[in-house]
Amino acid sequence: MTDLNALLYTPEHEWIRIDDDIATIGITDYAADQLGDVVYVDLPQAGAAVTAGQVMGEIESTKSVSELYAPVDGTVVEVNEAVDADPDTVNASPFEDAWLVKVRLSGAPAGLLDRAAYTALTGAEA
């Protein structure tokens, strides 16, 4: 089980786990709940450069289409093909099976939130 206090977050509802120079990125349970049933994900391909704060993909649900923002600068090194094949994994397991991409960092991440700040932002319980 993922230690949610060990993750970092963005105000756009992405979570980030940093291991050495690799950032694993997904969307939070709050975002998955707000989206409703996820039916399609459009993710960048491995090798694509991403820039913090810039759109790197889309998530489509039965309610809406939302842009997915890169929380860090770097290069995509892996895409979760299982989520591409089965998008409702985002609703079923947002912090574990439904990671979206892994990015090799090109600099130190900035402006990320800890769990307490993120839950304060969403009004959720810590």
Side-chain angles (χ1 to χ4, degrees):
M1 179 157 199
T2 301
D3 178 2
L4 301 182
N5 291 316
L7 303 177
L8 298 169
Y9 301 87
T10 70
E12 290 78 26
H13 311 292
E14 287 99 8
W15 59 261
I16 304 98
R17 182 181 59 237
I18 298 175
D19 300 302
D20 296 323
D21 65 341
I22 302 294
T24 302
I25 299 165
I27 68 166
T28 66
D29 55 346
Y30 176 85
D33 288 345
Q34 294 296 308
L35 284 168
D37 296 332
V38 174
V39 295
Y40 176 76
V41 293
D42 179 29
L43 300 173
Q45 295 185 358
V50 295
T51 303
Q54 300 297 309
V55 174
M56 68 174 186
E58 288 183 344
I59 296 180
E60 183 176 337
S61 71
T62 54
K63 291 183 180 177
S64 67
V65 176
S66 298
E67 294 178 325
L68 177 65
Y69 294 92
V72 296
D73 294 335
T75 303
V76 176
V77 294
E78 188 174 351
V79 176
N80 189 345
E81 300 295 339
V83 170
D84 187 40
D86 189 10
D88 67 354
T89 305
V90 172
N91 298 104
S93 182
F95 291 107
E96 297 188 15
D97 298 332
W99 61 271
L100 301 175
V101 294
K102 294 185 179 186
V103 173
R104 182 174 310 281
L105 299 170
S106 62
L112 301 177
L113 308 171
D114 63 16
R115 182 73 180 167
Y118 181 70
T119 55
L121 177 74
T122 62
E125 293 182 25

